[in-house]
């Protein structure tokens, strides 16, 4: 199938897990992996799409997770937020090296390192063609980066939240265990909730549903998938109102 050349989305929010940056490594950041992902983002930006990113911190926090056993939940969550800041800096650095202009905005104050999240400033950056990387989740413990993606997507007026995974969509069963599993091309929010498909955590999912903000689940490891998604090709699974 020939990839459509014209994007159907003007502004998107890409939700990247920290684990997506690991490649085949046990934890940390795989440089080849992050460079490949940034290349796909650059291709989308070149099409005129405004891109914001929310990134997780599981790849870095995984390296210290053993030491967090028994730790106060709020303290552990703040450590995870700091891990997302580290990932955001690495992602922005890779973007800048590939010719993009990236700005990191943090939900917690670390002004010597990154600028604080201010909605009007984020909108200005997007309108200028810069990629905005949102770090530190929502800035609050007990809320996931999925919730941060839903929140920031709604705040910036994104037309679509893209949940990047290692699987190319939502399936009727685990495709790694059941070869007969088939991919949903689209689902309504109510259908996904009824079938308990676990696309995002409940808070994030409810926010997207209430704001009528569609979610596209797709594979970030599949070459060219991001570009096909923004051009409306049959890629991944669309969850909509």
């Amino acid at each position: 199938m020939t990839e459509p050349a014209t994007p159907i989305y003007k502004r998107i929010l890409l939700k990247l897990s920290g684990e997506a940056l690991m490649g085949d490594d046990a934890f940390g950041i795989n440089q080849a992996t992050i460079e490949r992902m940034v290349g796909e983002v650059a291709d989308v930006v070149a099409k005129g799409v405004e891109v914001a990113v929310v990134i997780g911190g599981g790849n870095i926090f995984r390296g210290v997770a053993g030491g967090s056993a028994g730790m106060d939940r709020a303290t552990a969550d703040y450590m995870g937020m700091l891990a997302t800041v580290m990932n955001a800096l690495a992602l922005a650095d890779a973007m800048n090296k590939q010719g993009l202009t990236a700005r990191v905005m943090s939900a917690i104050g670390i002004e010597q390192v990154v600028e604080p999240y201010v909605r009007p400033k984020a909108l200005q950056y997007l309108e200028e063609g810069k990629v905005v990387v949102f770090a530190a989740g929502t800035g609050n413990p007990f809320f996931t980066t999925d919730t941060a993606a839903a929140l920031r997507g709604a705040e910036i007026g994104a037309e679509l939240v893209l949940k990047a995974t290692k699987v190319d969509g939502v399936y009727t069963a685990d495709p790694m265990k059941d070869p007969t599993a088939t991919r949903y091309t689209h689902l309504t929010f109510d259908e996904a909730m009824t079938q308990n498909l676990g696309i995002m955590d409940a808070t994030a999912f409810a926010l997207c549903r209430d704001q009528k903000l569609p979610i596209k689940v797709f594979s970030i490891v599949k070459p060219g998938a991001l570009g096909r998604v923004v051009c409306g090709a049959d890629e991944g699974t669309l969850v909509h109102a």
Side-chain angles (χ1 to χ4, degrees):
M1 180 178 178
T2 302
E3 179 185 331
T6 305
I8 62 172
Y9 299 103
K10 174 65 176 174
R11 181 177 293 168
I12 62 171
L13 188 292
L14 175 62
K15 167 57 172 64
L16 278 176
S17 68
E19 288 81 1
L21 305 182
M22 289 165 44
D24 295 326
D25 298 342
F27 58 87
I29 297 169
N30 182 286
Q31 196 60 33
T33 297
I34 197 171
E35 288 174 0
R36 180 188 60 77
M37 290 181 185
V38 167
E40 298 215 4
V41 172
D43 289 343
V44 168
V45 172
K47 295 176 185 291
V49 181
E50 296 173 2
V51 180
V53 181
V54 167
I55 193 160
N59 58 319
I60 293 175
F61 193 65
R62 179 176 297 187
V64 297
S68 68
M71 184 181 293
D72 177 79
R73 168 64 189 275
T75 300
D77 281 358
Y78 279 118
M79 291 172 65
M81 289 180 214
L82 293 174
T84 73
V85 175
M86 296 169 68
N87 278 339
L89 288 168
L91 185 63
D93 180 71
M95 287 178 172
N96 290 326
K97 286 178 178 175
Q98 289 202 36
L100 295 170
T101 302
R103 293 289 184 267
V104 179
M105 306 188 88
S106 172
I108 56 176
I110 323 176
E111 293 187 32
Q112 294 89 338
V113 182
V114 293
E115 61 184 290
Y117 169 67
V118 178
R119 179 176 175 270
K121 194 71 174 176
L123 292 171
Q124 177 187 329
Y125 286 152
L126 289 169
E127 290 163 2
E128 291 171 350
K130 298 178 174 69
V131 178
V132 182
V133 184
F134 297 119
T138 66
N140 302 285
F142 309 108
F143 291 93
T144 67
T145 49
D146 275 355
T147 300
L151 177 62
R152 297 292 181 247
E155 286 184 301
I156 66 171
E159 298 168 89
L160 183 69
V161 170
L162 285 77
K163 184 173 173 64
T165 70
K166 293 184 177 180
V167 181
D168 64 338
V170 181
Y171 280 75
T172 54
D174 186 343
M176 303 299 291
K177 298 177 181 178
D178 185 353
T180 66
T182 57
R183 174 176 61 89
Y184 293 104
T185 57
H186 60 88
L187 287 161
T188 67
F189 286 109
D190 289 342
E191 287 171 341
M193 291 181 69
T194 300
Q195 297 178 50
N196 195 29
L197 294 174
I199 293 168
M200 281 184 166
D201 73 75
T203 303
F205 198 77
L207 180 56
C208 286
R209 181 191 61 186
D210 292 347
Q211 296 299 316
K212 295 181 172 56
L213 178 57
I215 304 165
K216 173 75 86 166
V217 182
F218 77 107
S219 171
I220 193 63
V221 300
K222 186 176 179 181
L226 179 60
R228 289 190 291 274
V229 166
V230 300
C231 290
D234 180 17
E235 189 72 48
T237 301
L238 180 68
V239 186
H240 57 90

